[in-house]
Coordinates of all heavy atoms in Angstrom, one line a residue:
Chain K
A351 N 16.5 23.7 -58.8 CA 17.4 24.9 -58.7 C 17.6 25.2 -57.2 O 18.7 25.5 -56.8 CB 16.6 26.1 -59.3
A352 N 16.6 25.0 -56.3 CA 16.8 25.2 -54.9 C 17.9 24.1 -54.4 O 18.7 24.5 -53.6 CB 15.4 24.9 -54.2
L353 N 17.7 22.9 -54.9 CA 18.7 21.9 -54.4 C 20.1 22.3 -54.8 O 21.0 22.2 -54.0 CB 18.3 20.5 -54.9 CG 17.5 19.6 -54.1 CD1 17.3 18.3 -54.9 CD2 18.1 19.3 -52.7
R354 N 20.2 22.6 -56.0 CA 21.5 23.1 -56.6 C 22.1 24.2 -55.9 O 23.4 24.3 -55.8 CB 21.5 23.4 -58.0 CG 21.2 22.2 -58.9 CD 21.0 22.6 -60.3 NE 22.2 22.5 -61.0 CZ 22.4 22.0 -62.3 NH1 21.4 21.5 -62.9 NH2 23.6 21.9 -62.8
G355 N 21.2 25.1 -55.4 CA 21.7 26.3 -54.6 C 22.2 26.0 -53.2 O 22.6 26.9 -52.5
T356 N 21.9 24.8 -52.7 CA 22.3 24.4 -51.3 C 23.8 24.1 -51.3 O 24.3 23.3 -52.2 CB 21.5 23.2 -50.9 OG1 20.1 23.4 -51.2 CG2 21.7 23.0 -49.5
S357 N 24.5 24.7 -50.5 CA 26.0 24.6 -50.5 C 26.5 23.1 -50.2 O 27.5 22.6 -50.6 CB 26.7 25.5 -49.5 OG 26.2 25.2 -48.2
A358 N 25.6 22.4 -49.5 CA 25.9 21.1 -49.0 C 25.7 20.0 -50.1 O 26.0 18.8 -49.8 CB 25.1 20.7 -47.8
V359 N 25.3 20.4 -51.2 CA 25.0 19.5 -52.4 C 25.9 19.6 -53.6 O 26.2 20.7 -54.0 CB 23.5 19.8 -52.8 CG1 23.2 19.1 -54.1 CG2 22.6 19.1 -51.6
T360 N 26.4 18.5 -54.1 CA 27.2 18.5 -55.3 C 26.5 17.9 -56.4 O 25.8 16.9 -56.3 CB 28.5 17.7 -55.1 OG1 29.0 18.1 -53.8 CG2 29.4 17.8 -56.2
V361 N 26.6 18.5 -57.6 CA 25.9 17.9 -58.8 C 26.8 16.8 -59.3 O 28.0 17.1 -59.6 CB 25.7 19.0 -59.9 CG1 25.2 18.3 -61.1 CG2 24.7 20.0 -59.4
E362 N 26.3 15.6 -59.4 CA 27.2 14.5 -59.8 C 27.0 14.3 -61.3 O 27.8 13.9 -62.1 CB 26.8 13.2 -59.1 CG 27.1 13.3 -57.6 CD 28.7 13.2 -57.3 OE1 29.4 12.7 -58.3 OE2 29.1 13.6 -56.3
A363 N 25.7 14.5 -61.8 CA 25.4 14.4 -63.2 C 24.2 14.9 -63.6 O 23.2 15.0 -62.8 CB 25.4 12.8 -63.6
E364 N 24.1 15.4 -64.8 CA 22.9 15.9 -65.4 C 22.6 15.2 -66.7 O 23.4 14.9 -67.4 CB 23.1 17.5 -65.7 CG 21.9 18.2 -65.8 CD 22.1 19.8 -65.6 OE1 23.3 20.1 -65.3 OE2 21.2 20.5 -65.9
G365 N 21.3 14.8 -66.8 CA 20.9 14.1 -68.0 C 20.7 15.1 -69.1 O 21.1 16.2 -69.2
I366 N 19.9 14.5 -70.2 CA 19.7 15.2 -71.3 C 18.2 15.8 -71.4 O 17.4 15.1 -71.0 CB 19.9 14.3 -72.6 CG1 21.3 13.7 -72.6 CG2 19.6 15.0 -73.9 CD1 21.4 12.3 -73.2
V367 N 18.1 17.1 -71.7 CA 16.7 17.6 -71.8 C 16.1 16.9 -73.0 O 16.6 16.7 -74.0 CB 16.8 19.1 -72.1 CG1 15.4 19.6 -72.3 CG2 17.5 19.9 -71.0
G368 N 14.8 16.5 -72.7 CA 14.1 15.7 -73.8 C 13.6 16.6 -74.9 O 13.7 17.8 -74.8
E369 N 13.3 15.9 -76.0 CA 13.0 16.6 -77.2 C 11.6 17.3 -77.1 O 11.3 18.3 -77.8 CB 13.1 15.8 -78.4 CG 14.6 15.5 -78.7 CD 14.8 14.7 -80.0 OE1 13.9 14.5 -80.8 OE2 16.0 14.3 -80.2
A370 N 10.7 16.6 -76.5 CA 9.3 17.1 -76.4 C 9.3 18.2 -75.4 O 10.3 18.5 -74.8 CB 8.3 15.9 -76.0
V371 N 8.1 18.8 -75.2 CA 7.9 19.9 -74.3 C 7.9 19.3 -72.9 O 7.7 18.1 -72.6 CB 6.6 20.7 -74.5 CG1 6.6 21.3 -75.8 CG2 5.4 19.8 -74.3
N372 N 8.3 20.2 -71.8 CA 8.2 19.8 -70.5 C 9.0 18.5 -70.2 O 8.5 17.6 -69.5 CB 6.7 19.7 -70.0 CG 6.0 21.0 -70.2 OD1 6.5 22.0 -70.0 ND2 4.7 20.9 -70.7
A373 N 10.1 18.4 -70.8 CA 10.9 17.2 -70.5 C 12.3 17.5 -70.0 O 13.3 17.4 -70.6 CB 11.1 16.4 -71.8
P374 N 12.3 18.0 -68.8 CA 13.6 18.5 -68.2 C 14.5 17.3 -67.9 O 14.1 16.2 -67.9 CB 13.2 19.2 -66.8 CG 11.9 18.5 -66.5 CD 11.2 18.2 -67.8
A375 N 15.8 17.8 -67.8 CA 16.9 16.7 -67.7 C 16.8 16.1 -66.3 O 16.6 16.8 -65.3 CB 18.2 17.4 -67.9
P376 N 17.0 14.7 -66.2 CA 17.2 14.1 -65.0 C 18.5 14.7 -64.3 O 19.4 15.2 -64.9 CB 17.4 12.7 -65.3 CG 16.7 12.5 -66.6 CD 16.9 13.7 -67.3
L377 N 18.6 14.5 -63.0 CA 19.6 15.1 -62.3 C 20.1 14.2 -61.1 O 19.2 13.6 -60.5 CB 19.2 16.4 -61.7 CG 20.3 17.3 -61.0 CD1 21.2 17.8 -62.1 CD2 19.7 18.5 -60.3
L378 N 21.4 14.1 -60.8 CA 21.9 13.2 -59.7 C 22.8 14.2 -58.9 O 23.7 14.9 -59.4 CB 22.7 12.1 -60.3 CG 23.2 11.2 -59.1 CD1 22.0 10.4 -58.6 CD2 24.3 10.2 -59.7
L379 N 22.5 14.3 -57.6 CA 23.2 15.1 -56.7 C 23.7 14.3 -55.5 O 23.4 13.1 -55.4 CB 22.3 16.1 -56.1 CG 21.5 17.0 -57.1 CD1 20.1 17.3 -56.6 CD2 22.3 18.3 -57.4
S380 N 24.8 14.8 -54.9 CA 25.3 14.0 -53.7 C 25.4 15.0 -52.5 O 25.6 16.3 -52.7 CB 26.6 13.4 -54.0 OG 27.6 14.2 -54.3
T381 N 25.4 14.4 -51.4 CA 25.6 15.2 -50.2 C 26.2 14.2 -49.1 O 26.4 13.1 -49.3 CB 24.3 15.8 -49.8 OG1 24.5 16.8 -48.7 CG2 23.2 14.8 -49.3
T382 N 26.2 14.8 -47.8 CA 26.7 14.0 -46.8 C 25.5 13.8 -45.7 O 24.6 14.5 -45.7 CB 27.8 14.7 -46.1 OG1 27.5 15.9 -45.6 CG2 29.0 14.9 -47.0
T383 N 25.8 12.8 -44.9 CA 24.7 12.6 -43.8 C 24.7 13.8 -42.9 O 23.6 14.2 -42.4 CB 25.1 11.3 -43.1 OG1 26.4 11.3 -42.6 CG2 24.6 10.1 -43.8
A384 N 25.8 14.4 -42.7 CA 25.9 15.6 -41.8 C 25.1 16.8 -42.3 O 24.4 17.4 -41.7 CB 27.4 16.1 -41.6
A385 N 25.1 16.8 -43.7 CA 24.4 18.0 -44.3 C 23.0 17.7 -44.3 O 22.1 18.5 -44.1 CB 24.8 18.1 -45.8
L386 N 22.5 16.4 -44.3 CA 21.2 16.0 -44.3 C 20.5 16.3 -42.9 O 19.5 16.7 -42.8 CB 21.0 14.5 -44.5 CG 20.7 13.9 -45.9 CD1 20.7 12.4 -45.7 CD2 19.5 14.6 -46.5
R387 N 21.4 16.1 -41.9 CA 21.0 16.4 -40.5 C 20.8 17.9 -40.3 O 19.9 18.3 -39.6 CB 22.0 15.8 -39.6 CG 21.3 15.1 -38.4 CD 22.3 14.5 -37.5 NE 23.7 14.6 -37.8 CZ 24.7 13.8 -37.7 NH1 24.4 12.6 -37.3 NH2 25.9 14.1 -38.2
D388 N 21.7 18.6 -40.9 CA 21.8 20.2 -40.7 C 20.7 20.8 -41.5 O 20.2 21.9 -41.0 CB 23.1 20.7 -40.9 CG 24.3 20.0 -39.9 OD1 23.8 19.5 -38.9 OD2 25.4 20.2 -40.3
D389 N 20.5 20.4 -42.7 CA 19.6 21.0 -43.6 C 18.4 20.2 -44.1 O 18.7 19.5 -45.1 CB 20.4 21.6 -44.7 CG 19.7 22.6 -45.6 OD1 18.4 22.7 -45.4 OD2 20.2 23.2 -46.5
P390 N 17.3 20.3 -43.5 CA 16.2 19.4 -43.8 C 15.7 19.6 -45.2 O 15.2 18.7 -45.9 CB 15.1 19.8 -42.8 CG 15.7 20.6 -41.8 CD 16.9 21.2 -42.3
A391 N 16.1 20.7 -45.9 CA 15.7 21.0 -47.3 C 16.3 20.0 -48.2 O 15.7 19.7 -49.2 CB 16.0 22.4 -47.7
V392 N 17.4 19.5 -47.8 CA 18.1 18.6 -48.7 C 17.3 17.3 -48.9 O 17.4 16.6 -49.9 CB 19.6 18.2 -48.2 CG1 20.3 17.2 -49.0 CG2 20.3 19.5 -48.0
S393 N 16.5 16.9 -47.9 CA 15.7 15.7 -47.9 C 14.2 15.9 -48.2 O 13.5 15.2 -48.0 CB 15.9 14.9 -46.6 OG 15.4 15.6 -45.6
E394 N 14.0 17.1 -48.8 CA 12.6 17.4 -49.2 C 12.3 16.8 -50.7 O 13.2 16.9 -51.5 CB 12.3 18.8 -49.1 CG 11.6 19.2 -47.7 CD 11.4 20.6 -47.4 OE1 11.1 21.4 -48.5 OE2 11.5 21.0 -46.2
E395 N 11.1 16.5 -50.8 CA 10.9 15.9 -52.1 C 10.8 16.9 -53.3 O 10.3 18.0 -53.2 CB 9.4 15.2 -52.1 CG 9.0 14.5 -53.4 CD 7.6 14.0 -53.5 OE1 6.8 14.5 -52.6 OE2 7.3 13.1 -54.3
V396 N 11.5 16.5 -54.3 CA 11.5 17.2 -55.6 C 10.7 16.1 -56.6 O 11.3 15.1 -56.9 CB 12.8 17.6 -56.3 CG1 12.6 18.2 -57.6 CG2 13.5 18.6 -55.3
F397 N 9.5 16.5 -56.9 CA 8.7 15.6 -57.8 C 9.3 15.5 -59.2 O 9.2 16.5 -59.9 CB 7.3 16.0 -57.7 CG 6.3 15.0 -58.3 CD1 6.0 13.9 -57.6 CD2 5.8 15.2 -59.6 CE1 5.1 12.9 -58.0 CE2 4.8 14.3 -60.1 CZ 4.6 13.1 -59.4
G398 N 9.9 14.4 -59.5 CA 10.6 14.2 -60.7 C 11.8 13.4 -60.6 O 12.1 12.9 -59.5
A399 N 12.6 13.4 -61.7 CA 13.8 12.5 -61.8 C 15.0 13.1 -61.3 O 16.0 13.3 -61.9 CB 13.9 11.9 -63.3
A400 N 14.9 13.6 -60.0 CA 16.1 14.1 -59.3 C 16.4 13.3 -58.2 O 15.6 13.1 -57.3 CB 15.9 15.5 -59.0
G401 N 17.6 12.7 -58.1 CA 18.1 11.9 -57.0 C 19.2 12.5 -56.1 O 20.1 13.1 -56.8
V402 N 19.1 12.4 -54.9 CA 20.2 12.8 -54.0 C 20.9 11.5 -53.4 O 20.2 10.6 -52.9 CB 19.7 13.7 -52.9 CG1 20.8 14.1 -51.9 CG2 19.1 14.9 -53.4
I403 N 22.1 11.5 -53.4 CA 22.9 10.4 -52.8 C 23.6 10.9 -51.6 O 24.4 11.9 -51.7 CB 23.9 9.8 -53.9 CG1 23.1 9.1 -54.9 CG2 24.9 8.9 -53.1 CD1 24.1 8.3 -56.0
A404 N 23.4 10.3 -50.5 CA 24.1 10.7 -49.2 C 25.1 9.7 -48.9 O 24.7 8.5 -48.8 CB 23.1 11.0 -48.1
R405 N 26.2 10.1 -48.7 CA 27.4 9.1 -48.4 C 27.4 8.9 -46.9 O 27.4 9.9 -46.1 CB 28.7 9.6 -48.9 CG 28.7 9.9 -50.4 CD 28.5 8.7 -51.2 NE 29.4 7.7 -51.1 CZ 30.5 7.5 -51.8 NH1 30.9 8.4 -52.7 NH2 31.4 6.6 -51.6
W406 N 27.5 7.7 -46.4 CA 27.5 7.4 -45.0 C 28.7 6.5 -44.8 O 29.2 5.7 -45.5 CB 26.3 6.8 -44.4 CG 25.9 5.5 -45.0 CD1 25.3 5.3 -46.2 CD2 26.2 4.2 -44.4 NE1 25.2 3.8 -46.4 CE2 25.7 3.2 -45.2 CE3 26.9 3.8 -43.2 CZ2 25.9 1.8 -45.0 CZ3 27.0 2.5 -42.9 CH2 26.5 1.5 -43.8
S407 N 29.2 6.5 -43.4 CA 30.3 5.7 -43.1 C 30.1 4.8 -41.8 O 30.7 3.8 -41.6 CB 31.6 6.4 -43.0 OG 31.4 7.6 -42.3
D408 N 29.2 5.4 -40.9 CA 29.0 4.8 -39.6 C 27.6 4.5 -39.5 O 26.5 5.3 -39.7 CB 29.5 5.8 -38.5 CG 29.2 5.3 -37.2 OD1 30.0 4.6 -36.6 OD2 28.2 5.7 -36.6
T409 N 27.2 3.2 -39.0 CA 25.9 2.8 -38.9 C 25.1 3.5 -37.9 O 23.8 3.8 -38.0 CB 25.6 1.3 -38.7 OG1 26.5 0.9 -37.7 CG2 26.1 0.5 -39.9

Side-chain angles (χ1 to χ4, degrees):
Chain K
L353 267 182
R354 291 176 92 138
T356 310
S357 61
V359 162
T360 307
V361 174
E362 294 288 343
E364 200 163 349
I366 303 153
V367 175
E369 290 182 9
V371 297
N372 301 324
L377 188 69
L378 187 70
L379 305 144
S380 67
T381 189
T382 62
T383 47
L386 270 181
R387 221 174 7 214
D388 297 343
D389 187 354
V392 177
S393 60
E394 266 173 30
E395 185 185 18
V396 174
F397 191 72
V402 175
I403 290 178
R405 306 298 298 271
W406 66 275
S407 46
D408 176 82
T409 50

